[in-house]
Amino acid sequence: MTSRDNRPTSAQSRTAWGDMDSGYGRPDNQFEFGPRDDPDLPVAMENDIYMDRDKGKNEVATTKLPTEKQGCFTRFGKGVRSLWATRQTEETKGNRELHVKTTLRELIIYLVFLIILCVVTFGMTSTTMYYYTKVMSDLFLDTTHESGGTFRTITNVEDFWKFARGPLVRGLHWETWYNNDALPPSEQGYIYYENKLLGLPRLRQLKVSSNSCVVHENFKDVIRECYDSYSSNLEDKTSVVNLDNYTAFTYKTEEELDGSSHEATIATYSGAGYVQNLGKTQNESLEVINYLFKKLWITRGTRVAFVDFTVYNANINLFCAIRLIVEFPATGGAIPSWDFRTVKLIRYVTIKDYFIMACEFIFVLFIAYYIVEEALEIKKHKLSYFKSLWNILDLTVIIIALLCIAFDIYRTVEVDNKLSELISHPDQYADFEFLSYWQTRFDNAIAIAVFFAWVKIFKYISFNKTMTQLSSTLGRCAKDLLGFAVMFFIIFLAFTQLGYLLFGTQVKDFSNFGNSFFTLFRIILGDFDFHQLEAANRYLGPIFFMLFVFFVFFVLINMFLAIINDTYSEVKGDMANQMNEFEMTDYFKRGYQKMVDKLNLKRDKIQDIHETLKHADINGDDKLDFDEWRQDLKTRGYADGEIEALFAKYDIDGDRVLDKDEQIRMQEDLNNQKAALNKEYDELEKSGNRPGTARRASSRISENDDSGDESSEMDENGSKSTRSGRGSNGVSYEEFTVLSRRVDRMEHSIGSIVSKIDAVLVKLEAMEKAKLKRRETMGKILDSITETDGSNSDEMKREQMEKLVREELERWDSETSFSPSGRGASPSSGSSARGVRARSRPGSGQHGAKKY
């Protein structure tokens, strides 16, 4: 039974091909011209089939699909696993396209993470914070008291009490309007009428005990008391019983006050001390301050006084924890300092805040995602994971994020507890100092995380050689910079100590080693006060300045720049000769080209079907039977499965013949496909990434495309697009035919060239032989003349010579007329001639040499 007899009917073919489990799926996918989700692009066959003409059977060109379906859990596991696929977890070195796809996926996910991080970060701060801080600082730092001074100008104890009884009390309690009308009790307790004073303000001081330092023997009789600089070991912890119910003379430990240490200008002070709360009203606070003033609350042993209070502005939902510090050093006098911490402790109030909260949840999910990703990378690379700077940066960002998440939870709980306690006890000091301190540290940590997160973008864009210039330059000159840094800091620290020792007693910028260090850095940048150095030491000041500028600025800094410039030039020169690891633009171009190729492929298929409908009806009966259909499409390189599936789709009645109506229906589907393809080409042209004009012109499909034959299209495009019968590991039948024709033409051209070369060689061989013969003849003539020189007369010599010359001329004429033409020489004769020439040339050369 023939294969044709085994062929199913058209009605059965529409379902038979989909039910086969031979591994090549549905062949009619290549000719799916009906409505589809994506009508513009054909669905590629899962496996293509080639027809072996000699054996008459189909061969599967690609690997068969697995017959056993994978379980849901297996596929789910693979899908989940692919979420964490990175360049370090996947083998992407040998697969450039996979490397690009993985990098793009990582970059896109990371950019989303970066956007969420920035939204969360910038949602916690605003420019309003700056203005809030400025308003509070202007009120308490720049308001003048009765003597005209401000908090900034405090220089002694008397100035402190003037500030406390004037600007401090008036700033804390606003009891009248600007027209001096009294405020109702319900509206009191607000600063600037907008900022609620939480709880009561508090005064706190720390003292050192008497005789905490050693007096020299020569002054013991004169100086009876000595108070050393502050140290927690030297604190005065004595308490005095006060009958007026003031707590200012009772010492309380840091645990009792639930306080924390504070770093001021001179020293770092503990959270303990003598505390006294002020009143709710201006009169109550003024009464407390006057009482402390009369009782000499600040003594010779006092080393620091704190004024602490917190305000809250409901209009902008911000807290401002304010601490005013006045240090009383052992030298005498007073040094003021301050700390304004504007923070957002109540996070979720407005709609915007709840949007930030949603972003925070997404941020937490991203952190969990990156924790799993880094865990997978550590599991795969073990300790070598920590050799990469980018991996260390990833871990740093994750650790900072986890700490911030933990503090965010703690802060939310603690603020609720503080506010509940404040509402139940409004007459106590509201201690938000600890929360505000760690909130500022939280803001700093999240700011560092954002900085590192932005720097990490270089990890994903380092594929471009331009982007790697910075890292390559620093990496290559790291050793040189390290050696230079040692030399630089030796000289720099020497100048730092010299400046501190020379000018530390007179110039504030050199008052300690740290100030001296940063002052010299400022001199490098051009920020210096030469007159201060000259006033401090008339001779050594200018000498110090000139030596520092010469050695550090003119020598060391220029050496530093020279190292970087030379390395940068080397890196740039090397990169100019290197290829990029891969170009992202090439990847997008390749993807775009694939889309264009798919469109061209479908265009060719539609064109082939048009040609078949027009020319396959050999008998001219307006009916196209299957044999005519199959014969025409087989010549165009299509497989039997495709041919029969497409025919069965439009053979509605199953009679193995396409009548007029069925052909019209197919023609309509083809026209719809043409319109869809033209629309797709228009969209590609508008996208800006369109192909060349010639390509667009040839890619567009019009109604006139039906007229032209296949051979002309072949000549125009060079070769037709890949047929649908093509497998992933082979070429189509038509491509094979085209290539065979090209090989034949190439062999014919090469044969012609070889024949011409052989003819030239034969001519050269003949010319060489003729030359040798002429040499022999001339030798004979000379020999005959020499032999007859003494016996024959001149007349006989001339006759003999004439005879020899005539014979030679006749021989040349005969050889010229009967010599083979190079144009008609065959390759075989040419080969033999080359062999004769190769054999005769050495001998002939020797013979000629002997004759001469």
Side-chain angles (χ1 to χ4, degrees):
M1 182 177 291
T2 63
S3 60
R4 181 174 179 178
D5 296 332
N6 289 330
R7 186 183 302 118
T9 62
S10 296
Q12 296 172 342
S13 298
R14 282 189 289 270
T15 57
W17 291 106
D19 298 335
M20 294 176 66
D21 57 352
S22 57
Y24 46 79
R26 288 188 57 185
D28 60 332
N29 283 341
Q30 288 288 348
F31 294 100
E32 184 65 47
F33 295 112
R36 290 187 356 209
D37 294 336
D38 187 4
D40 298 334
L41 296 178
V43 178
M45 293 182 64
E46 296 176 356
N47 293 277
D48 297 327
I49 304 175
Y50 289 100
M51 171 63 70
D52 190 337
R53 293 185 174 181
D54 298 332
K55 297 182 181 179
K57 59 183 179 180
N58 293 334
E59 294 180 353
V60 179
T62 57
T63 306
K64 292 185 178 182
L65 295 175
T67 56
E68 294 183 1
K69 296 184 178 180
Q70 297 179 350
C72 296
F73 291 103
T74 303
R75 286 181 292 179
F76 177 76
K78 288 184 177 180
V80 172
R81 174 66 178 81
S82 64
L83 293 176
W84 284 276
T86 66
R87 289 174 294 177
Q88 292 185 339
T89 59
E90 305 296 323
E91 298 297 336
T92 61
K93 292 184 179 180
N95 191 334
R96 180 180 176 185
E97 186 172 357
L98 179 61
H99 187 86
V100 177
K101 288 182 179 179
T102 306
T103 303
L104 278 176
R105 190 190 64 81
E106 285 187 82
L107 179 60
I108 293 173
I109 293 176
Y110 185 75
L111 288 178
V112 176
F113 165 74
L114 187 60
I115 292 173
I116 294 297
L117 178 59
C118 291
V119 170
V120 171
T121 304
F122 289 102
M124 296 186 299
T125 184
S126 66
T127 55
T128 310
M129 290 184 171
Y130 165 75
Y131 294 111
Y132 192 24
T133 303
K134 185 178 183 303
V135 167
M136 292 293 104
S137 61
D138 290 343
L139 175 62
F140 292 100
L141 301 182
D142 298 325
T143 304
T144 59
H145 52 72
E146 55 191 16
S147 300
T150 64
F151 182 82
R152 299 177 189 267
T153 61
I154 291 178
T155 58
N156 51 51
V157 178
E158 184 179 0
D159 291 340
F160 171 76
W161 288 116
K162 290 180 180 179
F163 166 78
R165 287 182 292 187
L168 178 62
V169 173
R170 293 195 302 269
L172 291 174
H173 305 287
W174 291 60
E175 298 179 350
T176 60
W177 289 104
Y178 56 87
N179 61 355
N180 291 328
D181 289 345
L183 287 171
S186 60
E187 297 183 8
Q188 293 184 6
Y190 290 86
I191 299 175
Y192 277 128
Y193 314 112
E194 301 292 345
N195 305 284
K196 177 63 177 178
L197 181 62
L198 302 180
L200 300 177
R202 186 180 71 177
L203 297 176
R204 179 170 68 93
Q205 73 158 329
L206 287 169
K207 300 190 294 183
V208 295
S209 58
S210 178
N211 296 323
S212 54
C213 56
V214 179
V215 180
H216 194 270
E217 294 181 358
N218 296 334
F219 294 97
K220 281 186 177 181
D221 296 336
V222 179
I223 302 176
R224 302 298 178 90
E225 292 181 328
C226 177
Y227 297 89
D228 200 352
S229 299
Y230 175 81
S231 173
S232 58
N233 298 327
L234 303 177
E235 282 187 12
D236 185 1
K237 302 179 181 179
T238 59
S239 299
V240 178
V241 178
N242 186 271
L243 300 178
D244 297 326
N245 294 326
Y246 284 94
T247 61
F249 301 95
T250 303
Y251 179 84
K252 292 185 178 180
T253 63
E254 186 171 324
E255 290 75 15
E256 292 175 333
L257 295 177
D258 195 18
S260 59
S261 60
H262 180 86
E263 183 179 1
T265 304
I266 298 177
T268 299
Y269 303 95
S270 68
Y274 302 88
V275 297
Q276 176 63 54
N277 293 336
L278 299 181
K280 292 183 179 180
T281 63
Q282 189 175 120
N283 291 332
E284 292 178 0
S285 297
L286 190 59
E287 180 182 354
V288 172
I289 291 174
N290 288 331
Y291 180 85
L292 297 178
F293 176 78
K294 293 179 181 179
K295 295 295 183 178
L296 298 176
W297 186 61
I298 296 179
T299 64
R300 287 183 57 193
T302 301
R303 289 293 171 259
V304 66
F306 297 94
V307 180
D308 296 310
F309 57 94
T310 302
V311 294
Y312 172 71
N313 190 309
N315 301 333
I316 54 179
N317 188 30
L318 291 177
F319 290 81
C320 186
I322 302 174
R323 170 168 284 182
L324 305 176
I325 308 106
V326 180
E327 295 178 271
F328 301 97
T331 59
I335 300 175
S337 59
W338 51 88
D339 191 5
F340 291 82
R341 297 174 185 155
T342 301
V343 292
K344 188 175 183 179
L345 297 179
I346 302 177
R347 295 294 306 280
Y348 313 114
V349 176
T350 63
I351 297 177
K352 177 184 175 182
D353 295 334
Y354 284 104
F355 171 74
I356 299 298
M357 182 177 67
C359 292
E360 288 177 351
F361 281 114
I362 299 175
F363 174 75
V364 172
L365 294 178
F366 267 109
I367 294 301
Y369 170 84
Y370 282 115
I371 289 175
V372 176
E373 179 180 296
E374 300 307 316
L376 293 175
E377 293 180 0
I378 293 175
K379 180 181 179 181
K380 181 176 181 180
H381 297 283
K382 302 298 188 296
L383 294 178
S384 60
Y385 169 88
F386 299 96
K387 295 180 181 179
S388 174
L389 180 62
W390 296 118
N391 294 336
I392 301 298
L393 192 62
D394 292 339
L395 291 180
T396 303
V397 173
I398 290 175
I399 292 173
I400 293 176
L402 291 177
L403 293 176
C404 292
I405 292 172
F407 176 77
D408 191 66
I409 298 174
Y410 166 78
R411 189 248 345 272
T412 303
V413 176
E414 188 65 19
V415 168
D416 291 340
N417 296 335
K418 286 285 184 183
L419 294 179
S420 300
E421 182 180 355
L422 181 63
I423 293 174
S424 58
H425 302 87
D427 296 335
Q428 294 182 355
Y429 166 68
D431 188 7
F432 285 88
E433 195 276 334
F434 180 80
L435 272 179
S436 63
Y437 173 82
W438 285 107
Q439 178 64 34
T440 56
R441 297 303 178 269
F442 168 81
D443 295 339
N444 296 339
I446 204 71
I448 295 173
V450 172
F451 171 77
F452 285 152
W454 277 101
V455 172
K456 189 184 169 184
I457 293 181
F458 283 100
K459 175 181 179 181
Y460 302 106
I461 63 175
S462 59
F463 54 81
N464 188 279
K465 58 185 180 182
T466 304
M467 299 299 178
T468 59
Q469 288 185 3
L470 175 62
S471 59
S472 299
T473 301
L474 295 180
R476 185 173 297 187
C477 67
K479 293 183 179 179
D480 295 334
L481 290 179
L482 183 61
F484 170 79
V486 174
M487 176 178 60
F488 175 83
F489 280 106
I490 288 176
I491 298 177
F492 194 84
L493 292 176
F495 275 102
T496 301
Q497 296 183 22
L498 179 62
Y500 169 60
L501 296 175
L502 289 178
F503 315 113
T505 59
Q506 301 180 55
V507 181
K508 180 181 179 181
D509 292 338
F510 291 90
S511 58
N512 55 54
F513 188 83
N515 288 346
S516 179
F517 184 85
F518 290 107
T519 299
L520 293 184
F521 266 114
R522 290 167 52 195
I523 292 177
I524 294 177
L525 298 176
D527 180 16
F528 57 87
D529 189 349
F530 174 77
H531 297 292
Q532 272 192 336
L533 299 179
E534 187 179 23
N537 196 313
R538 185 175 180 181
Y539 300 103
L540 294 179
I543 293 174
F544 171 84
F545 180 79
M546 288 187 295
L547 289 176
F548 178 79
V549 170
F550 176 77
F551 283 105
V552 176
F553 186 78
F554 288 111
V555 178
L556 296 180
I557 295 300
N558 284 289
M559 288 178 62
F560 172 77
L561 296 177
I563 293 173
I564 296 180
N565 288 334
D566 291 344
T567 308
Y568 177 74
S569 299
E570 295 177 2
V571 170
K572 194 171 183 181
D574 294 342
M575 288 186 173
N577 301 324
Q578 293 178 358
M579 294 293 293
N580 285 345
E581 182 181 347
F582 64 85
E583 288 287 354
M584 196 68 69
T585 54
D586 293 341
Y587 174 74
F588 288 113
K589 289 179 180 178
R590 192 185 309 118
Y592 171 78
Q593 191 60 44
K594 287 182 179 179
M595 182 181 297
V596 174
D597 291 341
K598 288 182 179 180
L599 295 177
N600 292 336
L601 177 63
K602 191 169 186 181
R603 177 205 64 185
D604 293 338
K605 294 179 184 300
I606 295 174
Q607 183 68 19
D608 289 341
I609 303 302
H610 269 295
E611 295 294 330
T612 301
L613 289 175
K614 292 181 63 176
H615 304 295
D617 188 11
I618 300 175
N619 52 19
D621 58 353
D622 291 336
K623 293 183 179 181
L624 187 61
D625 60 23
F626 181 78
D627 291 334
E628 295 173 335
W629 173 267
R630 180 178 179 277
Q631 182 179 358
D632 190 274
L633 286 182
K634 285 292 289 184
T635 59
R636 301 177 186 273
Y638 292 99
D640 284 342
E642 304 175 79
I643 296 172
E644 182 152 356
L646 181 60
F647 188 89
K649 180 178 180 180
Y650 292 96
D651 185 16
I652 305 300
D653 51 10
D655 58 354
R656 312 290 291 175
V657 176
L658 293 179
D659 55 20
K660 192 69 175 178
D661 295 336
E662 292 170 340
Q663 294 182 37
I664 293 174
R665 179 171 174 265
M666 181 183 291
Q667 188 72 31
E668 290 176 353
D669 287 345
L670 292 176
N671 292 333
N672 293 334
Q673 289 294 305
K674 286 182 183 179
L677 285 177
N678 289 334
K679 181 179 179 181
E680 183 70 18
Y681 276 111
D682 291 338
E683 292 177 355
L684 289 176
E685 291 178 2
K686 293 178 182 179
S687 65
N689 294 325
R690 52 184 180 271
T693 306
R695 187 182 186 96
R696 292 198 306 270
S698 63
S699 299
R700 298 271 307 176
I701 297 180
S702 63
E703 296 296 333
N704 297 328
D705 289 339
D706 298 340
S707 57
D709 54 6
E710 185 177 355
S711 61
S712 62
E713 186 179 354
M714 291 283 297
D715 294 335
E716 179 183 358
N717 297 333
S719 62
K720 289 180 69 67
S721 299
T722 305
R723 293 298 183 194
S724 59
R726 169 177 164 182
S728 61
N729 296 326
V731 296
S732 67
Y733 172 76
E734 185 174 354
E735 285 181 339
F736 175 77
T737 304
V738 174
L739 292 176
S740 298
R741 291 176 182 175
R742 289 183 177 179
V743 171
D744 292 339
R745 287 197 298 268
M746 188 179 297
E747 289 179 351
H748 181 270
S749 301
I750 293 174
S752 177
I753 294 172
V754 171
S755 300
K756 292 179 180 180
I757 293 174
D758 288 339
V760 173
L761 292 176
V762 169
K763 283 188 176 183
L764 292 176
E765 188 73 23
M767 292 174 64
E768 187 175 356
K769 290 180 179 180
K771 184 177 180 181
L772 293 175
K773 289 181 180 181
R774 286 196 298 271
R775 288 178 179 178
E776 293 176 0
T777 302
M778 294 303 296
K780 291 179 181 180
I781 294 173
L782 293 175
D783 291 341
S784 63
I785 293 174
T786 304
E787 292 174 355
T788 60
D789 190 16
S791 59
N792 297 331
S793 62
D794 293 338
E795 187 65 25
M796 293 178 64
K797 291 181 180 178
R798 282 197 299 269
E799 291 178 357
Q800 188 177 4
M801 185 178 297
E802 183 178 355
K803 181 180 179 181
L804 292 173
V805 170
R806 288 181 183 274
E807 291 177 356
E808 187 63 26
L809 290 175
E810 291 176 358
R811 188 182 303 166
W812 288 357
D813 292 339
S814 63
E815 289 179 356
T816 303
S817 60
F818 292 104
S819 63
S821 176
R823 188 180 303 272
S826 63
S828 60
S829 63
S831 301
S832 62
R834 287 195 300 272
V836 171
R837 184 187 64 175
R839 292 191 299 271
S840 63
R841 181 175 298 173
S844 61
Q846 294 174 1
H847 184 269
K850 288 179 181 180
K851 289 294 181 181
Y852 283 107

